[in-house]
Amino acid sequence: TVRSRCQTFVFERPRLHDLVTVLRRVADGETMDVPDAALGQIARAARGSFRDAVSLLDQLTATTGGAISVQDVLQLLGVVEEEVLFHLCDLVVDGDTAGALVFLEELSERGQDIGRLVGHLLEHLRHLMLVQHTGEVPETLPVTTETRERLLEQAHQLGAATVVRLIDLLAPAIDDMRRGGDPRLRLELALVKVTRPGSDLSREGLALRLDRL
């Protein structure tokens, strides 16, 4: 009886493009010096919330004085740059174990939060998995046009079995972090196991080697 007399409004999360459009309107209205790439990073960090996106932009403006660069966003918000995620997966494609470990060491020396890196890498791997199994980049993914093209390219280079294996290896790191654990060792082990499958003696590791053969 009550429901028949009510109107139902179904709200959906805005897409990345919608968030960037609003941020650009706010930035122009407040005469802020912010490139589109920086707005894109802020929109990603907001995770589908207009309020959070504008709030982050306001905080960055107060900190930087109105001129916001991509590096400011990455440093102040702790966002992992997309290029880092793509490069890390490229090293997996090449089977470059040493390169992946050295790159991870460099990121740590630069002050990168490894916990955030694991979370963003899992999100990136999920995007690759969706592309591999749907044959396209879903419109619902919060990525830019340029990123869509790179996702398609990397999804074809990185085997589907490798992506699933990496997700399986990294997912427990999230639980470890909640208990105060260090996710770095799990990330290093995951990179070693997928770049050198012979070192992984589990059934899943054997299945990955058979899939590559």
Side-chain angles (χ1 to χ4, degrees), residues 9 17 20 45 49 88 106 123-124 141 153 157 181 200:
F9 297 91
H17 173 73
V20 172
S49 170
L88 200 54
E106 292 174 353
E123 184 180 14
H124 181 71
L141 291 188
E153 181 182 359
Q157 295 173 337
D200 187 359

Side-chain angles (χ1 to χ4, degrees), residues 49-62:
S49 170
F50 284 113
R51 181 190 62 185
D52 290 350
V54 175
S55 177
L56 290 173
L57 179 61
D58 183 50
Q59 293 174 32
L60 285 163
T61 303

Side-chain angles (χ1 to χ4, degrees), residues 14-190:
R15 295 177 297 179
L16 185 71
H17 173 73
D18 300 325
L19 288 169
V20 172
T21 300
V22 170
L23 289 175
R24 171 52 64 195
R25 186 165 66 244
V26 173
D28 291 345
E30 298 295 331
T31 63
M32 301 176 186
D33 182 14
V34 191
D36 288 340
L39 293 180
Q41 294 290 351
I42 296 172
R44 282 184 60 212
R47 294 186 174 275
S49 170
F50 284 113
R51 181 190 62 185
D52 290 350
V54 175
S55 177
L56 290 173
L57 179 61
D58 183 50
Q59 293 174 32
L60 285 163
T61 303
T63 305
T64 61
I68 305 173
S69 66
V70 174
Q71 195 57 41
D72 290 331
V73 179
L74 298 176
Q75 183 176 359
L76 296 175
L77 299 185
V79 178
V80 179
E81 191 174 3
E82 285 185 339
E83 186 60 38
V84 169
L85 304 176
F86 278 107
H87 182 59
L88 200 54
C89 288
D90 283 339
L91 292 171
V92 173
V93 172
D94 297 336
D96 188 354
T97 307
L101 294 177
V102 169
F103 183 56
L104 187 59
E105 182 68 26
E106 292 174 353
L107 292 174
S108 181
E109 287 296 319
R110 280 155 40 187
Q112 177 66 64
D113 186 333
I114 302 301
R116 285 183 179 272
L117 175 60
V118 171
H120 283 81
L121 182 57
L122 277 169
E123 184 180 14
H124 181 71
L125 291 168
R126 173 182 170 270
H127 292 172
L128 290 173
M129 181 181 67
L130 291 175
V131 173
Q132 289 172 338
H133 292 281
T134 62
E136 61 182 6
V137 181
E139 289 295 328
T140 54
L141 291 188
V143 295
T144 62
T145 302
E146 180 184 355
T147 302
R148 287 176 179 276
E149 296 176 358
R150 296 191 66 184
L151 278 174
L152 278 170
E153 181 182 359
Q154 193 167 78
H156 286 95
Q157 295 173 337
L158 196 61
T162 302
V163 171
V164 172
R165 183 62 178 144
L166 264 175
I167 293 175
D168 283 339
L169 289 168
L170 291 177
I174 303 298
D175 291 332
D176 287 350
M177 285 188 289
R178 290 170 181 162
R179 294 193 294 267
D182 184 4
R184 178 168 178 171
L185 180 58
R186 280 201 180 267
L187 178 55
E188 290 173 336
L189 283 174

